[in-house]
Amino acid sequence: MLNLILFGPPGSGKGTQSEKLIAKYGLKHLSTGDLLRSQIAQKTPLGLEAKSLMDKGQLVPDAVVIGMISSALESNPQAKGFLFDGFPRTPAQAEALDKLLELKGTSINKMLAMEVSEEELVNRLVKRGQTSGRSDDNNEAVIRARIAEYHDKTAVVADYYKKFDKVVNIKGEGSIDQIFNELCKEIELAAQD
Ligand code: AMP
């Protein structure tokens, strides 16, 4: 199996690159943000609880996203690999993911960490807010809160995977195709390991 984490702050291009990567490598895309937005659209109790936090730019509780990932892994037994996008976002989520994958006899091959300057992130998210329909994209204070959550709680997740020598940094600025090619180079190296 090939299991990858696409990592980076909000607005670093994870969603855009994920779509291209899953098409090329036939991986199952698991985005906790997308899973949560689908719960919100279905107006489930979980969705309602998550929405109030997401609208403030705060993370939802670990147990909620770990539970969603656990059932997504179980309901995709035939997948040839997974691309995790927006997950794990805390060290507790990273540890839980390792355990879930271990139960399936597999593990994370690589974390691809996309690096983008803060001003570029804010510009991209403000622009995305004009068309995305995402309530957390159309308010600059919420955008900045999401970036702050990333620095406070999520950036350390890269340190967790660095201990296992699994992190590669990718410059997330440039053309979409340029960045995609850099990601592909690293994925092909990871697949050979
Ligand atoms: P995203 O689509 O990845 O930008 O996520 C949108 C929002 O969903 C985040 O700002 C969080 O409120 C919530 N969220 C998504 N993934 C996670 C996660 N792994 N842990 C906690 N909250 C998450």
Side-chain angles (χ1 to χ4, degrees):
M1 272 185 120
L2 179 65
N3 299 307
L4 303 167
I5 298 171
L6 198 53
F7 189 71
S12 57
K14 300 188 296 294
T16 306
Q17 295 295 340
S18 287
E19 278 177 32
K20 294 171 71 73
L21 292 170
I22 54 163
K24 177 159 175 164
Y25 295 104
L27 302 172
K28 174 76 189 162
H29 183 204
L30 291 185
S31 154
T32 39
D34 286 352
L35 292 170
L36 288 165
R37 281 184 288 276
S38 137
Q39 295 284 326
I40 293 173
Q42 293 168 53
K43 298 195 165 61
T44 64
L46 188 156
L48 292 176
E49 183 198 338
K51 186 175 172 16
S52 63
L53 292 163
M54 290 165 76
D55 283 349
K56 286 186 270 186
Q58 294 171 4
L59 295 186
V60 307
D62 286 337
V64 171
V65 284
I66 292 167
M68 286 191 328
I69 289 288
S70 172
S71 35
L73 290 175
E74 263 175 44
S75 48
N76 287 283
Q78 311 296 350
K80 58 185 233 191
F82 293 95
L83 178 66
F84 297 94
D85 160 8
F87 179 90
R89 259 176 157 101
T90 63
Q93 293 179 22
E95 282 168 29
L97 177 61
D98 274 1
K99 291 206 182 95
L100 289 169
L101 292 176
E102 205 180 312
L103 289 173
K104 292 176 75 77
T106 186
S107 60
I108 291 295
N109 298 76
K110 268 272 117 85
M111 167 184 270
L112 302 155
M114 303 216 281
E115 298 179 314
V116 176
S117 74
E118 180 134 349
E119 280 325 293
E120 172 73 11
L121 295 175
V122 176
N123 288 341
R124 285 184 189 181
L125 291 169
V126 167
K127 201 164 154 212
R128 187 169 86 184
Q130 293 161 2
T131 53
S132 71
R134 279 181 55 166
S135 49
D136 57 350
D137 276 349
N138 57 25
N139 175 323
E140 191 168 329
V142 174
I143 289 173
R144 294 211 181 258
R146 284 156 65 202
I147 296 172
E149 283 282 84
Y150 172 81
H151 289 304
D152 290 350
K153 300 185 179 150
T154 303
V156 289
V157 175
D159 298 333
Y160 174 86
Y161 289 100
K162 268 185 210 150
K163 286 192 290 194
F164 306 102
D165 203 19
K166 290 188 174 173
V167 182
V168 252
N169 293 313
I170 303 277
K171 189 165 172 275
E173 293 184 46
S175 77
I176 289 176
D177 285 338
Q178 233 172 357
I179 299 164
F180 179 62
N181 288 337
E182 287 302 311
L183 291 166
C184 292
K185 260 195 254 166
E186 292 299 340
I187 292 172
E188 275 144 44
L189 285 173
Q192 285 167 16
D193 283 349

